[in-house]
Amino acid sequence: NDYGPLMKASLTPLMPLEPILAELRAMGFILGVATNDSHLSATTHMTHSGVIEHFEDIIAADTVDVPKPSGNM
């Protein structure tokens, strides 16, 4: 089943994320995400939320040998 349309209809950030992330990047922070989600799902969520361009890297459970909470992730 394709849950994409349902996810997009129900995924709403609790606050505007773009201004916060833009400010962090302007301050020199390099942003990344570590998630137990799949890379495809994480990038889909972040794209839909309009924030993916702020992140340098997305490390997902399916892109590492040992996922979170391993310290080696």
Side-chain angles (χ1 to χ4, degrees):
N1 293 338
D2 181 11
Y3 295 103
L6 177 62
M7 178 275 303
K8 289 178 182 178
S10 62
L11 181 65
T12 304
L14 298 175
M15 64 187 75
L17 299 175
E18 202 284 328
I20 297 166
L21 297 172
E23 184 173 348
L24 289 170
R25 293 210 38 195
M27 294 169 64
F29 285 90
I30 298 171
L31 305 178
V33 171
T35 178
N36 275 336
D37 208 347
S38 71
H39 193 269
L40 176 62
S41 182
T43 56
T44 300
H45 287 115
M46 293 169 67
T47 299
H48 174 72
S49 297
V51 298
I52 196 162
E53 67 276 358
H54 292 286
F55 294 90
E56 296 296 319
D57 203 1
I58 301 168
I59 302 169
D62 59 351
T63 62
V64 294
D65 292 330
V66 182
K68 288 188 338 183
S70 171
N72 294 330
M73 184 179 187

Short mmCIF file of all heavy atoms in Angstrom, two decimals:
data_model
loop_
_atom_site.label_atom_id
_atom_site.label_comp_id
_atom_site.label_asym_id
_atom_site.label_seq_id
_atom_site.Cartn_x
_atom_site.Cartn_y
_atom_site.Cartn_z
N ASN A 1 0.83 -1.19 0.00
CA ASN A 1 0.00 0.00 0.00
C ASN A 1 0.88 1.25 0.00
O ASN A 1 1.92 1.29 0.62
CB ASN A 1 -0.90 0.04 1.22
CG ASN A 1 -1.95 -1.06 1.21
OD1 ASN A 1 -2.29 -1.59 0.16
ND2 ASN A 1 -2.47 -1.40 2.36
N ASP A 2 0.40 2.26 -0.66
CA ASP A 2 1.11 3.55 -0.69
C ASP A 2 0.49 4.46 0.36
O ASP A 2 -0.62 4.95 0.19
CB ASP A 2 1.03 4.17 -2.07
CG ASP A 2 1.77 5.49 -2.14
OD1 ASP A 2 2.51 5.82 -1.20
OD2 ASP A 2 1.59 6.19 -3.14
N TYR A 3 1.23 4.69 1.43
CA TYR A 3 0.74 5.54 2.51
C TYR A 3 1.18 7.00 2.36
O TYR A 3 0.92 7.82 3.23
CB TYR A 3 1.22 4.99 3.87
CG TYR A 3 0.64 3.64 4.17
CD1 TYR A 3 1.40 2.49 4.03
CD2 TYR A 3 -0.68 3.52 4.59
CE1 TYR A 3 0.86 1.25 4.30
CE2 TYR A 3 -1.23 2.28 4.87
CZ TYR A 3 -0.45 1.14 4.72
OH TYR A 3 -0.99 -0.07 4.99
N GLY A 4 1.87 7.31 1.25
CA GLY A 4 2.37 8.66 1.04
C GLY A 4 1.31 9.74 1.15
O GLY A 4 1.48 10.71 1.90
N PRO A 5 0.18 9.62 0.43
CA PRO A 5 -0.85 10.67 0.53
C PRO A 5 -1.40 10.83 1.94
O PRO A 5 -1.63 11.95 2.40
CB PRO A 5 -1.93 10.19 -0.43
CG PRO A 5 -1.20 9.34 -1.42
CD PRO A 5 -0.11 8.66 -0.62
N LEU A 6 -1.59 9.74 2.67
CA LEU A 6 -2.08 9.82 4.04
C LEU A 6 -1.05 10.51 4.93
O LEU A 6 -1.40 11.37 5.74
CB LEU A 6 -2.39 8.43 4.59
CG LEU A 6 -2.85 8.36 6.03
CD1 LEU A 6 -4.17 9.12 6.22
CD2 LEU A 6 -3.02 6.91 6.47
N MET A 7 0.22 10.16 4.75
CA MET A 7 1.28 10.77 5.54
C MET A 7 1.33 12.27 5.27
O MET A 7 1.39 13.07 6.19
CB MET A 7 2.63 10.12 5.20
CG MET A 7 3.84 10.69 5.92
SD MET A 7 4.62 12.15 5.17
CE MET A 7 5.01 11.61 3.55
N LYS A 8 1.28 12.65 4.01
CA LYS A 8 1.37 14.07 3.66
C LYS A 8 0.18 14.85 4.20
O LYS A 8 0.33 16.01 4.60
CB LYS A 8 1.48 14.23 2.16
CG LYS A 8 2.82 13.79 1.62
CD LYS A 8 2.87 13.92 0.13
CE LYS A 8 4.22 13.43 -0.39
NZ LYS A 8 4.30 13.48 -1.83
N ALA A 9 -0.98 14.23 4.26
CA ALA A 9 -2.16 14.91 4.77
C ALA A 9 -2.11 15.11 6.28
O ALA A 9 -2.70 16.04 6.80
CB ALA A 9 -3.42 14.13 4.38
N SER A 10 -1.39 14.22 6.98
CA SER A 10 -1.42 14.29 8.45
C SER A 10 -0.13 14.82 9.07
O SER A 10 -0.09 15.09 10.26
CB SER A 10 -1.73 12.91 9.03
OG SER A 10 -0.72 11.99 8.67
N LEU A 11 0.93 14.99 8.28
CA LEU A 11 2.21 15.45 8.81
C LEU A 11 2.23 16.97 8.86
O LEU A 11 2.29 17.65 7.84
CB LEU A 11 3.37 14.95 7.94
CG LEU A 11 4.76 15.35 8.40
CD1 LEU A 11 5.10 14.72 9.74
CD2 LEU A 11 5.78 14.95 7.36
N THR A 12 2.15 17.51 10.06
CA THR A 12 2.18 18.95 10.26
C THR A 12 3.13 19.27 11.41
O THR A 12 2.91 18.81 12.53
CB THR A 12 0.77 19.48 10.61
OG1 THR A 12 -0.14 19.08 9.58
CG2 THR A 12 0.77 20.99 10.72
N PRO A 13 4.19 20.03 11.14
CA PRO A 13 5.11 20.40 12.23
C PRO A 13 4.37 21.18 13.32
O PRO A 13 3.41 21.90 13.05
CB PRO A 13 6.15 21.28 11.55
CG PRO A 13 6.07 20.92 10.10
CD PRO A 13 4.63 20.55 9.85
N LEU A 14 4.84 21.04 14.54
CA LEU A 14 4.23 21.74 15.67
C LEU A 14 4.53 23.24 15.66
O LEU A 14 3.83 24.02 16.29
CB LEU A 14 4.71 21.13 16.99
CG LEU A 14 4.34 19.68 17.21
CD1 LEU A 14 4.98 19.15 18.50
CD2 LEU A 14 2.84 19.51 17.25
N MET A 15 5.59 23.63 14.96
CA MET A 15 5.97 25.04 14.85
C MET A 15 6.64 25.21 13.50
O MET A 15 7.06 24.24 12.89
CB MET A 15 6.91 25.43 15.98
CG MET A 15 8.23 24.69 15.95
SD MET A 15 9.27 24.99 17.37
CE MET A 15 8.45 24.01 18.60
N PRO A 16 6.78 26.44 13.03
CA PRO A 16 7.50 26.66 11.76
C PRO A 16 8.97 26.26 11.91
O PRO A 16 9.70 26.85 12.70
CB PRO A 16 7.35 28.16 11.52
CG PRO A 16 6.22 28.60 12.39
CD PRO A 16 6.21 27.67 13.56
N LEU A 17 9.38 25.25 11.18
CA LEU A 17 10.74 24.73 11.31
C LEU A 17 11.75 25.50 10.48
O LEU A 17 12.90 25.66 10.89
CB LEU A 17 10.77 23.25 10.91
CG LEU A 17 9.90 22.32 11.74
CD1 LEU A 17 9.93 20.92 11.16
CD2 LEU A 17 10.35 22.32 13.18
N GLU A 18 11.35 25.96 9.31
CA GLU A 18 12.29 26.58 8.38
C GLU A 18 13.03 27.76 8.98
O GLU A 18 14.27 27.83 8.87
CB GLU A 18 11.56 26.97 7.09
CG GLU A 18 12.47 27.12 5.88
CD GLU A 18 13.26 28.42 5.90
OE1 GLU A 18 12.76 29.43 6.43
OE2 GLU A 18 14.40 28.40 5.41
N PRO A 19 12.38 28.71 9.65
CA PRO A 19 13.12 29.84 10.22
C PRO A 19 14.13 29.41 11.29
O PRO A 19 15.23 29.98 11.37
CB PRO A 19 12.04 30.72 10.84
CG PRO A 19 10.76 30.28 10.24
CD PRO A 19 10.94 28.86 9.84
N ILE A 20 13.79 28.44 12.08
CA ILE A 20 14.70 27.95 13.13
C ILE A 20 15.93 27.31 12.50
O ILE A 20 17.07 27.59 12.88
CB ILE A 20 13.97 26.95 14.05
CG1 ILE A 20 12.82 27.63 14.78
CG2 ILE A 20 14.95 26.29 15.02
CD1 ILE A 20 11.86 26.68 15.45
N LEU A 21 15.70 26.45 11.51
CA LEU A 21 16.82 25.76 10.85
C LEU A 21 17.68 26.75 10.07
O LEU A 21 18.91 26.64 10.08
CB LEU A 21 16.28 24.67 9.94
CG LEU A 21 15.52 23.55 10.67
CD1 LEU A 21 14.87 22.61 9.67
CD2 LEU A 21 16.42 22.80 11.62
N ALA A 22 17.06 27.72 9.43
CA ALA A 22 17.81 28.74 8.69
C ALA A 22 18.70 29.54 9.65
O ALA A 22 19.86 29.85 9.33
CB ALA A 22 16.86 29.66 7.94
N GLU A 23 18.19 29.87 10.82
CA GLU A 23 18.98 30.62 11.80
C GLU A 23 20.15 29.80 12.31
O GLU A 23 21.27 30.31 12.45
CB GLU A 23 18.10 31.07 12.97
CG GLU A 23 18.84 31.93 13.96
CD GLU A 23 17.95 32.52 15.04
OE1 GLU A 23 16.72 32.48 14.93
OE2 GLU A 23 18.51 33.04 16.02
N LEU A 24 19.92 28.52 12.58
CA LEU A 24 21.01 27.66 13.04
C LEU A 24 22.11 27.57 11.99
O LEU A 24 23.30 27.66 12.31
CB LEU A 24 20.48 26.26 13.37
CG LEU A 24 19.62 26.15 14.62
CD1 LEU A 24 18.97 24.79 14.70
CD2 LEU A 24 20.45 26.44 15.86
N ARG A 25 21.72 27.43 10.73
CA ARG A 25 22.72 27.37 9.65
C ARG A 25 23.45 28.69 9.51
O ARG A 25 24.66 28.73 9.28
CB ARG A 25 22.07 26.95 8.34
CG ARG A 25 21.58 25.51 8.46
CD ARG A 25 21.55 24.71 7.26
NE ARG A 25 22.64 24.92 6.34
CZ ARG A 25 22.60 24.50 5.10
NH1 ARG A 25 21.53 23.87 4.65
NH2 ARG A 25 23.61 24.69 4.29
N ALA A 26 22.73 29.81 9.66
CA ALA A 26 23.35 31.14 9.58
C ALA A 26 24.37 31.32 10.71
O ALA A 26 25.35 32.05 10.55
CB ALA A 26 22.29 32.23 9.64
N MET A 27 24.16 30.64 11.82
CA MET A 27 25.08 30.70 12.96
C MET A 27 26.28 29.77 12.76
O MET A 27 27.18 29.72 13.59
CB MET A 27 24.33 30.33 14.24
CG MET A 27 23.27 31.33 14.63
SD MET A 27 22.19 30.74 15.97
CE MET A 27 23.35 30.58 17.32
N GLY A 28 26.27 29.00 11.67
CA GLY A 28 27.40 28.14 11.37
C GLY A 28 27.23 26.68 11.75
O GLY A 28 28.15 25.89 11.59
N PHE A 29 26.05 26.32 12.25
CA PHE A 29 25.82 24.92 12.59
C PHE A 29 25.67 24.08 11.33
O PHE A 29 25.06 24.53 10.35
CB PHE A 29 24.55 24.77 13.44
CG PHE A 29 24.72 25.21 14.87
CD1 PHE A 29 24.45 26.52 15.23
CD2 PHE A 29 25.15 24.32 15.84
CE1 PHE A 29 24.61 26.95 16.53
CE2 PHE A 29 25.32 24.74 17.15
CZ PHE A 29 25.04 26.06 17.49
N ILE A 30 26.22 22.89 11.35
CA ILE A 30 26.03 21.92 10.29
C ILE A 30 25.02 20.91 10.82
O ILE A 30 25.25 20.27 11.85
CB ILE A 30 27.36 21.23 9.92
CG1 ILE A 30 28.35 22.27 9.39
CG2 ILE A 30 27.12 20.13 8.89
CD1 ILE A 30 29.75 21.75 9.21
N LEU A 31 23.90 20.78 10.14
CA LEU A 31 22.79 19.98 10.65
C LEU A 31 22.73 18.62 9.98
O LEU A 31 22.99 18.48 8.78
CB LEU A 31 21.47 20.73 10.42
CG LEU A 31 21.40 22.14 10.99
CD1 LEU A 31 20.07 22.78 10.66
CD2 LEU A 31 21.64 22.13 12.49
N GLY A 32 22.35 17.63 10.76
CA GLY A 32 22.16 16.28 10.26
C GLY A 32 21.06 15.60 11.04
O GLY A 32 20.60 16.10 12.07
N VAL A 33 20.62 14.48 10.54
CA VAL A 33 19.56 13.70 11.17
C VAL A 33 20.03 12.27 11.34
O VAL A 33 20.63 11.70 10.42
CB VAL A 33 18.27 13.71 10.30
CG1 VAL A 33 17.24 12.74 10.83
CG2 VAL A 33 17.69 15.10 10.22
N ALA A 34 19.78 11.70 12.51
CA ALA A 34 19.99 10.28 12.76
C ALA A 34 18.63 9.72 13.16
O ALA A 34 18.00 10.20 14.10
CB ALA A 34 21.00 10.05 13.87
N THR A 35 18.15 8.72 12.41
CA THR A 35 16.81 8.21 12.64
C THR A 35 16.76 6.70 12.52
O THR A 35 17.53 6.10 11.77
CB THR A 35 15.81 8.84 11.64
OG1 THR A 35 14.51 8.29 11.85
CG2 THR A 35 16.21 8.62 10.20
N ASN A 36 15.82 6.09 13.23
CA ASN A 36 15.57 4.66 13.06
C ASN A 36 14.58 4.40 11.93
O ASN A 36 14.22 3.27 11.66
CB ASN A 36 15.05 4.05 14.37
CG ASN A 36 16.18 3.65 15.29
OD1 ASN A 36 17.30 3.40 14.85
ND2 ASN A 36 15.91 3.61 16.57
N ASP A 37 14.16 5.45 11.29
CA ASP A 37 13.29 5.34 10.11
C ASP A 37 14.15 4.93 8.91
O ASP A 37 15.38 4.96 8.98
CB ASP A 37 12.65 6.71 9.86
CG ASP A 37 11.30 6.61 9.18
OD1 ASP A 37 10.95 5.52 8.69
OD2 ASP A 37 10.59 7.63 9.13
N SER A 38 13.51 4.58 7.80
CA SER A 38 14.27 4.30 6.59
C SER A 38 14.70 5.62 5.96
O SER A 38 14.11 6.68 6.20
CB SER A 38 13.41 3.51 5.60
OG SER A 38 12.40 4.34 5.06
N HIS A 39 15.73 5.57 5.14
CA HIS A 39 16.22 6.78 4.47
C HIS A 39 15.13 7.36 3.57
O HIS A 39 14.91 8.58 3.56
CB HIS A 39 17.48 6.46 3.67
CG HIS A 39 18.20 7.68 3.21
ND1 HIS A 39 17.94 8.27 2.00
CD2 HIS A 39 19.15 8.43 3.82
CE1 HIS A 39 18.72 9.34 1.88
NE2 HIS A 39 19.46 9.45 2.96
N LEU A 40 14.44 6.52 2.84
CA LEU A 40 13.36 6.99 1.95
C LEU A 40 12.27 7.68 2.74
O LEU A 40 11.82 8.78 2.38
CB LEU A 40 12.78 5.83 1.14
CG LEU A 40 11.60 6.18 0.25
CD1 LEU A 40 11.98 7.21 -0.81
CD2 LEU A 40 11.04 4.92 -0.41
N SER A 41 11.83 7.08 3.83
CA SER A 41 10.77 7.67 4.64
C SER A 41 11.22 8.99 5.25
O SER A 41 10.48 9.98 5.24
CB SER A 41 10.34 6.70 5.72
OG SER A 41 9.30 7.24 6.49
N ALA A 42 12.44 9.03 5.77
CA ALA A 42 12.95 10.26 6.39
C ALA A 42 13.05 11.39 5.37
O ALA A 42 12.62 12.51 5.64
CB ALA A 42 14.31 10.01 7.04
N THR A 43 13.60 11.11 4.20
CA THR A 43 13.72 12.15 3.19
C THR A 43 12.35 12.59 2.68
O THR A 43 12.15 13.77 2.41
CB THR A 43 14.61 11.72 2.01
OG1 THR A 43 14.10 10.52 1.44
CG2 THR A 43 16.04 11.51 2.44
N THR A 44 11.41 11.67 2.61
CA THR A 44 10.05 12.03 2.19
C THR A 44 9.41 12.97 3.20
O THR A 44 8.83 14.00 2.83
CB THR A 44 9.18 10.76 2.02
OG1 THR A 44 9.77 9.93 1.02
CG2 THR A 44 7.76 11.11 1.63
N HIS A 45 9.52 12.63 4.49
CA HIS A 45 8.96 13.49 5.54
C HIS A 45 9.62 14.87 5.54
O HIS A 45 8.95 15.90 5.65
CB HIS A 45 9.14 12.85 6.93
CG HIS A 45 8.25 11.70 7.18
ND1 HIS A 45 8.74 10.44 7.36
CD2 HIS A 45 6.90 11.60 7.27
CE1 HIS A 45 7.74 9.60 7.56
NE2 HIS A 45 6.61 10.28 7.51
N MET A 46 10.93 14.90 5.43
CA MET A 46 11.65 16.16 5.48
C MET A 46 11.37 17.02 4.25
O MET A 46 11.27 18.24 4.34
CB MET A 46 13.13 15.88 5.65
CG MET A 46 13.45 15.27 7.00
SD MET A 46 15.13 14.64 7.12
CE MET A 46 16.04 16.17 7.04
N THR A 47 11.22 16.38 3.11
CA THR A 47 10.88 17.12 1.89
C THR A 47 9.49 17.71 2.02
O THR A 47 9.27 18.89 1.72
CB THR A 47 10.96 16.19 0.66
OG1 THR A 47 12.30 15.71 0.53
CG2 THR A 47 10.56 16.92 -0.60
N HIS A 48 8.54 16.91 2.48
CA HIS A 48 7.17 17.40 2.65
C HIS A 48 7.10 18.55 3.65
O HIS A 48 6.34 19.50 3.46
CB HIS A 48 6.25 16.26 3.11
CG HIS A 48 4.86 16.71 3.45
ND1 HIS A 48 3.96 17.10 2.47
CD2 HIS A 48 4.23 16.86 4.62
CE1 HIS A 48 2.83 17.48 3.06
NE2 HIS A 48 2.97 17.34 4.36
N SER A 49 7.95 18.50 4.66
CA SER A 49 7.97 19.56 5.67
C SER A 49 8.73 20.80 5.20
O SER A 49 8.73 21.82 5.89
CB SER A 49 8.60 19.05 6.97
OG SER A 49 7.83 18.00 7.50
N GLY A 50 9.39 20.70 4.05
CA GLY A 50 10.10 21.84 3.50
C GLY A 50 11.40 22.18 4.18
O GLY A 50 11.83 23.33 4.15
N VAL A 51 12.04 21.18 4.78
CA VAL A 51 13.27 21.46 5.54
C VAL A 51 14.49 20.69 5.06
O VAL A 51 15.58 20.92 5.56
CB VAL A 51 13.05 21.20 7.05
CG1 VAL A 51 11.98 22.11 7.61
CG2 VAL A 51 12.72 19.74 7.32
N ILE A 52 14.33 19.83 4.11
CA ILE A 52 15.42 18.92 3.74
C ILE A 52 16.68 19.66 3.30
O ILE A 52 17.80 19.21 3.55
CB ILE A 52 14.97 17.90 2.68
CG1 ILE A 52 15.97 16.76 2.62
CG2 ILE A 52 14.73 18.57 1.34
CD1 ILE A 52 15.47 15.52 1.96
N GLU A 53 16.53 20.83 2.68
CA GLU A 53 17.70 21.55 2.18
C GLU A 53 18.60 22.08 3.30
O GLU A 53 19.73 22.47 3.05
CB GLU A 53 17.28 22.70 1.27
CG GLU A 53 16.55 23.82 1.98
CD GLU A 53 15.06 23.60 2.17
OE1 GLU A 53 14.51 22.57 1.73
OE2 GLU A 53 14.44 24.47 2.80
N HIS A 54 18.13 22.04 4.53
CA HIS A 54 18.93 22.53 5.65
C HIS A 54 19.87 21.47 6.22
O HIS A 54 20.71 21.79 7.06
CB HIS A 54 18.02 23.04 6.77
CG HIS A 54 17.27 24.27 6.39
ND1 HIS A 54 17.87 25.51 6.30
CD2 HIS A 54 15.97 24.44 6.06
CE1 HIS A 54 16.96 26.41 5.93
NE2 HIS A 54 15.81 25.78 5.78
N PHE A 55 19.73 20.24 5.79
CA PHE A 55 20.48 19.14 6.40
C PHE A 55 21.57 18.63 5.47
O PHE A 55 21.34 18.37 4.29
CB PHE A 55 19.54 18.00 6.79
CG PHE A 55 18.60 18.40 7.90
CD1 PHE A 55 17.37 18.98 7.62
CD2 PHE A 55 18.97 18.26 9.23
CE1 PHE A 55 16.51 19.38 8.64
CE2 PHE A 55 18.13 18.66 10.25
CZ PHE A 55 16.90 19.21 9.95
N GLU A 56 22.77 18.49 6.03
CA GLU A 56 23.92 18.00 5.27
C GLU A 56 23.87 16.49 5.08
O GLU A 56 24.36 15.97 4.08
CB GLU A 56 25.22 18.38 5.98
CG GLU A 56 25.45 19.86 6.07
CD GLU A 56 25.62 20.51 4.71
OE1 GLU A 56 26.31 19.92 3.85
OE2 GLU A 56 25.08 21.61 4.51
N ASP A 57 23.32 15.78 6.07
CA ASP A 57 23.33 14.32 6.00
C ASP A 57 22.11 13.76 6.72
O ASP A 57 21.62 14.35 7.69
CB ASP A 57 24.60 13.78 6.65
CG ASP A 57 24.97 12.38 6.17
OD1 ASP A 57 24.25 11.83 5.30
OD2 ASP A 57 25.99 11.86 6.63
N ILE A 58 21.64 12.64 6.21
CA ILE A 58 20.56 11.89 6.85
C ILE A 58 21.08 10.47 7.03
O ILE A 58 21.37 9.78 6.05
CB ILE A 58 19.28 11.88 6.00
CG1 ILE A 58 18.80 13.31 5.76
CG2 ILE A 58 18.20 11.03 6.67
CD1 ILE A 58 17.72 13.41 4.69
N ILE A 59 21.24 10.08 8.27
CA ILE A 59 21.71 8.73 8.59
C ILE A 59 20.51 7.95 9.09
O ILE A 59 19.94 8.28 10.13
CB ILE A 59 22.83 8.76 9.64
CG1 ILE A 59 23.99 9.63 9.13
CG2 ILE A 59 23.30 7.35 9.97
CD1 ILE A 59 25.03 9.94 10.18
N ALA A 60 20.12 6.94 8.33
CA ALA A 60 18.91 6.19 8.63
C ALA A 60 19.26 4.75 9.02
O ALA A 60 20.37 4.28 8.76
CB ALA A 60 17.98 6.19 7.42
N ALA A 61 18.30 4.09 9.63
CA ALA A 61 18.53 2.71 10.11
C ALA A 61 18.97 1.79 8.98
O ALA A 61 19.75 0.86 9.21
CB ALA A 61 17.27 2.19 10.79
N ASP A 62 18.48 2.04 7.77
CA ASP A 62 18.84 1.15 6.66
C ASP A 62 20.12 1.59 5.93
O ASP A 62 20.47 1.01 4.91
CB ASP A 62 17.67 1.02 5.68
CG ASP A 62 17.23 2.34 5.07
OD1 ASP A 62 17.70 3.41 5.51
OD2 ASP A 62 16.39 2.30 4.16
N THR A 63 20.83 2.57 6.47
CA THR A 63 22.07 3.01 5.85
C THR A 63 23.29 2.74 6.72
O THR A 63 24.41 3.14 6.36
CB THR A 63 22.03 4.52 5.50
OG1 THR A 63 21.89 5.28 6.70
CG2 THR A 63 20.89 4.83 4.55
N VAL A 64 23.09 2.09 7.86
CA VAL A 64 24.19 1.76 8.77
C VAL A 64 24.10 0.29 9.17
O VAL A 64 23.05 -0.34 9.04
CB VAL A 64 24.15 2.63 10.05
CG1 VAL A 64 24.41 4.09 9.71
CG2 VAL A 64 22.84 2.50 10.79
N ASP A 65 25.22 -0.23 9.66
CA ASP A 65 25.24 -1.63 10.09
C ASP A 65 24.49 -1.83 11.41
O ASP A 65 23.80 -2.83 11.60
CB ASP A 65 26.67 -2.14 10.25
CG ASP A 65 27.40 -2.23 8.92
OD1 ASP A 65 26.72 -2.48 7.89
OD2 ASP A 65 28.63 -2.05 8.91
N VAL A 66 24.65 -0.86 12.33
CA VAL A 66 24.01 -0.96 13.65
C VAL A 66 23.26 0.36 13.90
O VAL A 66 23.89 1.39 14.12
CB VAL A 66 25.06 -1.20 14.76
CG1 VAL A 66 24.38 -1.35 16.10
CG2 VAL A 66 25.91 -2.42 14.44
N PRO A 67 21.93 0.34 13.89
CA PRO A 67 21.16 1.57 14.06
C PRO A 67 21.13 2.05 15.51
O PRO A 67 21.68 1.43 16.41
CB PRO A 67 19.76 1.19 13.58
CG PRO A 67 19.67 -0.27 13.78
CD PRO A 67 21.06 -0.80 13.62
N LYS A 68 20.44 3.21 15.71
CA LYS A 68 20.27 3.76 17.06
C LYS A 68 19.69 2.69 17.97
O LYS A 68 18.92 1.86 17.50
CB LYS A 68 19.31 4.96 17.03
CG LYS A 68 19.85 6.19 16.41
CD LYS A 68 18.99 7.43 16.53
CE LYS A 68 17.55 7.26 16.78
NZ LYS A 68 16.76 8.46 16.82
N PRO A 69 20.06 2.71 19.21
CA PRO A 69 20.80 3.71 19.94
C PRO A 69 22.30 3.46 19.99
O PRO A 69 22.99 4.00 20.85
CB PRO A 69 20.20 3.62 21.35
CG PRO A 69 19.88 2.17 21.51
CD PRO A 69 19.44 1.74 20.11
N SER A 70 22.82 2.66 19.07
CA SER A 70 24.26 2.41 19.07
C SER A 70 25.06 3.70 18.97
O SER A 70 24.73 4.57 18.15
CB SER A 70 24.63 1.51 17.89
OG SER A 70 26.03 1.42 17.75
N GLY A 71 26.08 3.82 19.75
CA GLY A 71 26.95 4.98 19.69
C GLY A 71 27.79 5.01 18.43
O GLY A 71 28.40 6.02 18.10
N ASN A 72 27.80 3.90 17.70
CA ASN A 72 28.59 3.83 16.46
C ASN A 72 27.79 4.29 15.24
O ASN A 72 28.31 4.28 14.14
CB ASN A 72 29.07 2.40 16.22
CG ASN A 72 30.06 1.97 17.27
OD1 ASN A 72 30.79 2.80 17.81
ND2 ASN A 72 30.08 0.69 17.60
N MET A 73 26.54 4.67 15.45
CA MET A 73 25.73 5.10 14.32
C MET A 73 26.31 6.37 13.77
O MET A 73 26.44 6.65 12.67
CB MET A 73 24.29 5.31 14.73
CG MET A 73 23.40 5.66 13.56
SD MET A 73 21.72 5.87 14.09
CE MET A 73 20.90 6.04 12.54
#
